[in-house]
Amino acid sequence: GRLVAGVAHDIGNPATHISGCAQSFKSLIQKLPQSLRLANGDEVENKWTKLEQACSKLERESSYIVRVNRALARYGRIDDQVTPGIDLQEVSEQVLSVLASRLGMHEVDCRLNDLPKVTAKQGQIAQLLANLILNAADAASSVAEHGKIEVTGKKEHFEGRSGISVIISDSGPGIPDMIRRAGFRPFVTTRNPARWLGIGLSISQRIVAEHGGQLLFPALDSAQGGVVKVWLPSEENHAF
């Protein structure tokens, strides 16, 4: 977390400066008199047009770097402070910005905007969502290059307590029985152990348990893909 936050800080200042310079340069070009641009014929006008287009692209891409960098800074922040009023949609958007390159060509549909806010450790909730979304992306990739991931939520009671359920589903082959039987033990993976440690679900379970919640694998036909459900207590029932 400290490494990510430090890198984000080092990138942030020059990226913001580049974005500002691109906007200023584009504005200066647009303010040039039209007569000056047309004075030397179509060839010069075409060059001005290409210069404007290049400035627009530089502005757009540098703004994207700034936006992702801000999400990285928030995601990488060491945040063990319990905070009330956390918006899960906002946290998920930050996570998806950071994971954009890892999600590849998959279609991601995230709908958590109608949920009540929660009291939680925001950094841990971001890590939880990142772990589960990456698992979903890997599962979808094992079937097709263009898969689908859905992140949805609803109000739900669990063992007499009110709370919120977040469901992450994917178009992959479904959760293997070996993973279901492992009970969130670390270092259990169906993938290449040389590349994957098999600790993502174990870490996710620890985070959920610390928040007084539940991490569940709903029983589904494998043809429906993989589904993981996280239940977190509502603000009035939080574990802190």
Side-chain angles (χ1 to χ4, degrees):
R2 290 187 179 90
L3 176 61
V4 172
V7 170
H9 178 267
D10 290 341
I11 293 173
N13 289 336
T16 302
H17 182 67
I18 291 170
S19 179
C21 288
Q23 293 173 22
S24 298
F25 194 29
K26 181 181 176 182
S27 178
L28 287 172
I29 292 173
Q30 291 173 339
K31 290 177 181 178
L32 287 172
Q34 190 73 8
S35 57
L36 178 62
R37 299 176 54 167
L38 298 175
N40 296 304
D42 292 341
E43 183 178 353
V44 173
E45 172 63 15
N46 289 336
K47 289 180 179 179
W48 279 114
T49 301
K50 289 181 180 179
L51 185 57
E52 284 183 333
Q53 292 172 347
C55 286
S56 295
K57 184 175 181 179
L58 178 60
E59 179 185 0
R60 183 170 61 252
E61 297 300 331
S62 58
S63 295
Y64 175 74
I65 293 172
V66 170
R67 187 168 68 252
V68 171
N69 185 70
R70 287 173 180 166
L72 268 174
R74 290 190 292 264
Y75 176 72
R77 185 175 56 212
I78 303 301
D79 188 2
D80 282 332
Q81 181 177 354
V82 178
T83 306
I86 290 177
D87 186 333
L88 292 180
Q89 177 69 24
E90 182 179 323
V91 175
S92 66
E93 288 173 357
Q94 294 170 9
V95 169
L96 290 174
S97 292
V98 173
L99 300 182
S101 63
R102 291 284 304 276
L103 297 177
M105 302 298 293
H106 298 314
E107 176 188 348
V108 182
D109 183 12
C110 184
R111 303 189 303 275
L112 301 177
N113 47 303
D114 293 329
L115 294 178
K117 293 178 173 56
V118 297
T119 294
K121 297 180 178 181
Q122 184 166 333
Q124 291 190 7
I125 296 300
Q127 183 180 12
L128 168 67
L129 291 174
N131 287 347
L132 298 180
I133 291 171
L134 282 176
N135 280 351
D138 290 334
S141 295
S142 70
V143 174
E145 183 179 357
H146 300 274
K148 186 169 184 179
I149 301 166
E150 291 187 346
V151 184
T152 58
K154 62 181 180 179
K155 298 178 185 178
E156 187 173 20
H157 280 73
F158 184 84
E159 296 182 348
R161 293 186 296 161
S162 62
I164 296 167
S165 288
V166 177
I167 301 97
I168 296 96
S169 59
D170 62 69
S171 57
I175 297 172
D177 289 338
M178 186 181 97
I179 298 298
R180 293 179 183 273
R181 292 194 302 266
F184 305 110
R185 293 198 309 272
F187 310 113
V188 176
T189 180
T190 58
R191 295 174 289 186
N192 183 356
R195 291 186 59 202
W196 307 100
L197 294 177
I199 60 174
L201 283 174
S202 177
I203 293 172
S204 298
Q205 165 64 9
R206 177 182 58 78
I207 292 171
V208 171
E210 185 174 339
H211 284 76
Q214 295 285 330
L215 182 60
L216 308 164
F217 297 141
L220 295 174
D221 189 314
S222 61
Q224 296 177 266
V227 179
V228 177
K229 182 164 85 170
V230 176
W231 181 86
L232 296 172
S234 56
E235 281 206 298
E236 61 270 20
N237 295 315
H238 68 80
F240 302 102

